[in-house]
Amino acid sequence: MKYATAQETGEKASVTVLPYNGDERILRVRLRNRNIIVELTNIGSAITAIYTPGKNDGLKNIVAGYADLKNYLHNPDYYGVVVGRYANRIAAGHFSINGKEYQVSVNNGSNHLHGGVQGFSHKFWTVTSVKENEQQCSVVFSYNSADGEEGYPGNMSVSVEYQLDDAGRLHIHYSATTDKSTPVNLTNHSYFNLTGFEQPSILDHLLEVNASAYTEKSENDTPTGQILSVTGTALDFRKPGKLSKGVDQFPADMGYDHNFVLDKSEGNDLEKAAVLSEASSGRTVTVYTTKPGMQLYTANFWNGSIIGQQGVAYRQHGGVALETQSFPDSVHHPHFPSTILHPGEQYRTTTIFEFGIIAE
Ligand code: GLA
C-alpha cells in the first residue's frame, strides 16, 4: 500500500478512524501530517505502520507489523503495542506494597513479562478522542484495567495519546490513575528497520544512546540491582556505533536485550535518549523521553516464520526496539526510581519519536 504524501496532495494534518473489514471491534486509525503517516489499531493501542520518506526513496513503512489487523490479538513479539501494566520483567511475579503481598502472572520462565498473559498489549482499547488542526492531529486510546487483572491491585484507568505534529514528531503521552497502589510501567514496543525492511537486518544501523550506565542482569534476566558503567562494554553507544558491534557478545540473549540508565538532568524532563540512523536510506529516528530507562532489544528470536506488512519474512535481528521505560523489576530495588502509583496521583510520561533524514 502506498499513500500520496500530504505534501504531494497539499492536505493538512488529518485523522481517520474506520472499522476494519466490517468488524466493528477492530479499528484502523490513520494520522497524517505533511509527509509522515502513522497507522494504529485499538488492539493493544498499537502502532501498525509508520511511513516516512528516505533520502532517495518515497514513503516506506519502517516498523514491524501485521498486514491483517486481526493478528494483533496474538502478536507474541509485541509489534508496535503499548505494553503494561508493567513493561519488562518482575522477578517471580511477586512483590509487596505497604506490607501486602501480590502475585501477578508468570509468563516468561520464572518471571512476569510485559503485563502478563493478556497484558494491555492484547486488549481492545477504546478511542476516546480525535483531534486535528493545521499543525497536528491526534488520537487517544483508553483502557480500564480491573482490580485483580493479571494479579495487579486496583482499578486502573489508562490513556495513551498519539499526536503527530508538523515537524515529523510522533508524541506519545501516557497517563494513568488507580484506586489502589500498584506498579505501573508503560512503553511502546515498536521495532524499527529504517530501510523499510528492504534489508533483512538492522545490524548496519547506527545507534547513539545517551547513557553512561546500564542495569546489570542476572541469569534469570532480571536486574541484580547493580548499576554498571558502559565504559569498555558493547553497551557504550555514547558515540554512534553499529548494532553489529556487540550483538555476538551476549550469546544467552542472542543479541541486545538490555536496559540503559539514561543520563538525565534532575527531574523528569523530556530529554534526548537515542538516535537511530541508517546510511543507505538516510532515515533517522530520534527518541526523547521523560522516563529514566530504555530497553534495547534487537529482535533476537525472530525466526522468519512471520511475513510482515512489507511482504517479507521477519528474521533474527530484522528490527530494533527502543523501549523507553522505568527500570525492570523496580519493585525489588528500592534504589531504582519508584514505579508505584498511588490513589490520587497521576502517572504521566511522554516519549517522542522524531523522524528525519541524515543531513548531507
Ligand atoms: C522486551 C524484552 C525481551 C522480549 C521482547 C519481546 O524487549 O526485554 O526479552 O521479551 O520484549 O519479545
Side-chain angles (χ1 to χ4, degrees):
M1 178 184 340
K2 184 176 184 306
Y3 296 109
T5 68
Q7 265 173 350
E8 284 159 11
T9 62
E11 287 178 55
K12 295 280 193 286
S14 68
V15 49
T16 53
V17 182
L18 292 169
Y20 177 65
N21 272 355
D23 184 339
E24 297 288 332
R25 293 176 314 156
I26 306 179
L27 298 175
R28 182 169 185 233
V29 179
R30 192 216 272 180
L31 303 175
R32 170 160 64 179
N33 205 344
R34 305 300 187 263
N35 54 359
I36 310 278
I37 295 165
V38 178
E39 294 187 338
L40 308 116
T41 185
N42 60 319
I43 304 171
S45 186
I47 296 173
T48 59
I50 301 177
Y51 292 85
T52 74
K55 68 177 180 200
N56 298 316
D57 53 3
L59 292 185
K60 291 230 167 89
N61 175 14
I62 60 165
V63 290
Y66 290 107
D68 184 347
L69 295 186
K70 283 201 289 298
N71 288 331
Y72 283 89
L73 287 169
H74 301 289
N75 196 5
D77 295 313
Y78 301 89
Y79 300 155
V81 286
V82 169
V83 178
R85 197 178 287 199
Y86 198 94
N88 215 298
R89 292 171 178 80
I90 297 176
H94 191 268
F95 55 89
S96 62
I97 303 176
N98 299 331
K100 193 154 190 270
E101 311 254 327
Y102 296 98
Q103 179 66 52
V104 290
S105 45
V106 166
N107 60 326
N108 176 252
S110 60
N111 302 318
H112 175 87
L113 176 69
H114 290 338
V117 180
Q118 282 283 320
F120 295 180
S121 46
H122 290 79
K123 303 286 195 201
F124 285 100
W125 295 54
T126 307
V127 170
T128 48
S129 164
V130 290
K131 285 189 195 136
E132 60 184 38
N133 62 34
E134 290 274 307
Q135 284 77 40
Q136 59 96 10
C137 50
S138 62
V139 60
V140 178
F141 294 98
S142 299
Y143 175 67
N144 291 320
S145 168
D147 189 5
E149 184 180 284
E150 298 287 332
Y152 285 104
N155 295 293
M156 172 176 278
S157 300
V158 48
S159 291
V160 176
E161 179 182 40
Y162 291 99
Q163 178 192 52
L164 185 61
D165 73 17
D166 58 1
R169 287 185 297 240
L170 179 66
H171 306 240
I172 311 176
H173 298 293
Y174 302 87
S175 59
T177 55
T178 182
D179 61 6
K180 283 184 195 160
S181 298
T182 178
V184 57
N185 183 20
L186 304 177
T187 192
N188 177 278
H189 208 298
S190 291
Y191 294 89
F192 296 99
N193 178 323
L194 300 182
T195 69
F197 290 83
E198 276 191 4
Q199 290 172 19
S201 157
I202 46 70
L203 294 183
D204 278 341
H205 283 42
L206 275 183
L207 180 68
E208 183 181 346
V209 183
N210 183 23
S212 310
Y214 68 102
T215 50
E216 186 190 42
K217 296 200 289 185
S218 66
E219 270 168 18
N220 80 347
D221 241 349
T222 51
T224 60
Q226 295 281 341
I227 292 179
L228 300 181
S229 167
V230 296
T231 303
T233 75
L235 292 165
D236 192 347
F237 283 103
R238 288 173 292 183
K239 296 208 170 68
K242 283 198 178 180
L243 283 166
S244 56
K245 80 173 182 179
V247 87
D248 293 334
Q249 295 195 28
F250 305 106
D253 292 317
M254 300 209 282
Y256 286 104
D257 192 4
H258 294 82
N259 174 58
F260 289 97
V261 175
L262 297 172
D263 291 340
K264 306 282 292 186
S265 320
E266 285 298 300
N268 298 320
D269 291 346
L270 195 54
E271 289 179 278
K272 184 152 96 173
V275 184
L276 182 71
S277 64
E278 196 282 320
S280 69
S281 67
R283 290 188 179 84
T284 65
V285 179
T286 305
V287 182
Y288 301 85
T289 191
T290 60
K291 304 184 207 206
M294 188 186 81
Q295 187 86 6
L296 169 63
Y297 178 60
T298 44
N300 306 333
F301 295 97
W302 288 6
N303 61 12
S305 63
I306 293 175
I307 308 296
Q309 213 181 108
Q310 294 83 357
V312 297
Y314 290 160
R315 301 189 189 285
Q316 187 183 38
H317 307 145
V320 53
L322 303 170
E323 304 156 54
T324 56
Q325 61 181 2
S326 294
F327 302 167
D329 200 28
S330 297
V331 284
H332 293 121
H333 301 285
H335 59 297
F336 288 180
S338 173
T339 52
I340 305 298
L341 180 71
H342 299 288
E345 294 176 348
Q346 270 277 351
Y347 173 90
R348 274 190 199 284
T349 59
T350 295
T351 292
I352 294 176
F353 294 130
E354 179 181 64
F355 305 107
I357 293 182
I358 299 170
E360 292 290 317

